[in-house]
Amino acid sequence: QAHIIESGGGSAQIGDSLTLTCTVSGGPSNTLAMGWFRQPPGKEREFVAAITGNGLVRRFPEALKGRFTISRDNGKNTAYLVMNSLEPGDTGVYFCTTSQWIGLQEYEPESWGQGTPVTVSS
């Protein structure tokens, strides 16, 4: 099973940018897809972004397209989530996940990290 560690969370103000980092070790030898979810306070987890193992397919919910960007560096077994123009609704715990997703359907996470909190304040 993959070991997933998120970092980069913290406090930010409305309109700021914040970058989250996800590092994966262990698990299958083939490069896995990686994706982000978030859980706002008192709400269910929701999909944020995903990227295939080869980096060719990226997916975001419609509401986040244009504000969030996902990328990866396979040499470092690392993925990044760049969040721009932060809003109060972006507050929550952000989780990194891995999957065998190949970009042809909805992203389905298989392994989860423990999360990193993000707080957006005015």
Side-chain angles (χ1 to χ4, degrees):
Q1 187 177 42
H3 183 58
I4 302 167
I5 300 177
E6 305 97 333
S7 62
S11 298
Q13 293 192 244
I14 295 173
D16 285 352
S17 295
L18 193 64
T19 299
L20 305 183
T21 299
C22 176
T23 300
V24 177
S25 62
S29 59
N30 292 337
T31 301
L32 296 172
M34 302 176 72
W36 292 89
F37 289 76
R38 68 186 183 188
Q39 186 167 24
K43 299 182 179 180
E44 296 182 352
R45 286 184 292 200
E46 60 187 29
F47 174 70
V48 173
I51 185 169
T52 54
N54 59 17
L56 296 179
V57 181
R58 298 167 171 83
R59 183 167 293 171
F60 307 87
E62 189 67 27
L64 297 180
K65 289 181 179 179
R67 287 205 302 120
F68 286 17
T69 300
I70 188 169
S71 62
R72 64 187 301 150
D73 183 343
N74 287 351
K76 299 179 180 180
N77 298 318
T78 299
Y80 306 93
L81 180 70
V82 179
M83 303 182 290
N84 297 312
S85 302
L86 286 168
E87 305 172 353
D90 296 322
T91 294
V93 179
Y94 283 70
F95 299 88
C96 182
T97 68
T98 62
S99 173
Q100 298 181 68
W101 183 66
I102 59 173
L104 300 178
Q105 55 193 346
E106 293 296 316
Y107 179 79
E108 297 182 359
E110 298 171 357
S111 298
W112 293 75
Q114 292 184 323
T116 184
V118 172
T119 301
V120 182
S121 304
S122 61

